[in-house]
């Protein structure tokens, strides 16, 4: 539809044009997209996963500043122009996750063990780059903490993350591999200062939490909750009961 030839297909353009069609009302609609050109994964290869994780996480913290969206999730007390507790906690947890990401970074190989933690570390660097003491990392002898200035989320944090997200989207949409890697590497590569903090972060690492799924059971007209012990044994029992 854009002139033929053997150039890479513009999948997003095709979907946008399809949305402009005069679809018949009152019926189910289906769209099949077939192409033999480059895709996101084939173009950006090993970078595709972490960049997608980063875009998703960035969208999350950016949009959680919108009161109308918080209303959708039941936070009716959220007000435009104010930072709700949920919003503040979301940004603080993201900054903390970026610091904890050092747990899965291998400095000797200069490689990340998890794509989503690499993404969160990148977002932490975006926050730090925003300046104005919006995010601060505080180091003591045996601990490292991160603080987020709640009063600057809208004025400093949101614009910085928005600009970062926009740049990622432009490089994705234009398929500019070299520009994407150069840009993203600046944020996801730990500096010597961060590498020096890694031992402290590892020393504070806690065992992974065990989440045990409770069940619901129907007895006649009554629905009861069946709970299990919060342990490895309880986790196994939950699975056995569920699938037996």
């Amino acid at each position: 539809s854009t002139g033929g030839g053997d150039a890479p297909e513009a999948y997003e353009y095709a979907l946008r044009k399809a949305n402009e069609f005069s679809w018949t009302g009152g019926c189910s609609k289906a769209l099949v997209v077939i192409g033999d050109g480059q895709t996101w994964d084939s173009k950006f290869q090993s970078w595709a996963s972490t960049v997608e994780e980063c875009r998703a996480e960035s969208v999350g913290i950016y949009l959680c500043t919108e009161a109308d969206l918080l209303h959708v999730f039941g936070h009716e007390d959220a007000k435009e122009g104010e930072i709700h507790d949920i919003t503040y906690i979301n940004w603080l947890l993201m900054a903390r996750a970026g610091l904890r990401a050092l747990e899965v970074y291998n400095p000797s190989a200069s490689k990340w063990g998890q794509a989503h933690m690499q993404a969160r570390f990148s977002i932490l660097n975006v926050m730090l780059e925003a300046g104005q003491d919006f995010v601060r990392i505080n180091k003591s002898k045996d601990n490292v903490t991160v603080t987020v200035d709640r009063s600057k989320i809208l004025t400093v944090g949101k614009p910085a993350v928005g600009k970062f997200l926009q740049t990622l989207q432009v490089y994705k949409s234009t398929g500019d591999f070299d520009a994407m890697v150069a840009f993203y590497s600046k944020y996801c590569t730990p500096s010597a200062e961060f590498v020096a903090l890694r031992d402290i972060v590892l020393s504070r690492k806690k065992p992974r939490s065990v989440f045990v799924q409770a069940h619901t059971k129907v007895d006649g007209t009554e629905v009861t909750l069946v709970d299990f012990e919060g342990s490895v044994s309880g986790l196994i029992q939950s699975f056995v009961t569920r699938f037996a």
Side-chain angles (χ1 to χ4, degrees), residues 11 23 37 54 59 84 107 119 123 131 133 167 170 174-175 179 183 191 218 227 229 235:
Y11 298 102
W23 296 90
C54 193
V59 168
H84 193 278
I123 295 172
D133 283 333
T167 303
V170 168
T174 57
F183 176 74
S191 63
V218 178
D227 210 349
E229 180 182 300
L235 178 65

Side-chain angles (χ1 to χ4, degrees), residues 40-57 113-120 168 172 180 184:
W40 166 247
D41 287 321
S42 67
K43 180 68 176 178
F44 289 91
Q45 304 166 33
S46 62
W47 293 89
S49 180
T50 181
V51 172
E52 276 299 272
E53 291 283 357
C54 193
R55 288 199 320 125
E57 298 274 22
Q114 296 178 7
H116 62 279
M117 295 303 271
Q118 181 180 3
R120 291 165 182 167
L168 291 182
K172 175 182 179 179
M180 174 74 87
Y184 191 66

Side-chain angles (χ1 to χ4, degrees), residues 7-41:
E9 288 84 359
Y11 298 102
E12 294 177 351
Y13 174 78
L15 292 173
R16 179 168 63 83
K17 296 300 291 185
N19 194 48
E20 298 174 1
F21 293 164
S22 298
W23 296 90
T24 302
C27 64
S28 299
K29 304 171 181 63
L31 176 68
V32 178
V33 180
I34 300 175
D36 63 351
Q38 295 169 324
T39 63
W40 166 247
D41 287 321

Side-chain angles (χ1 to χ4, degrees), residues 121-147:
F121 179 78
S122 300
I123 295 172
L124 171 61
N125 272 316
V126 172
M127 294 181 184
L128 290 167
E129 185 184 64
Q132 301 184 49
D133 283 333
F134 169 53
V135 170
R136 297 187 302 276
I137 293 179
N138 314 291
K139 177 181 177 296
S140 63
K141 182 179 179 180
D142 58 355
N143 196 15
V144 182
T145 60
V146 60
T147 59

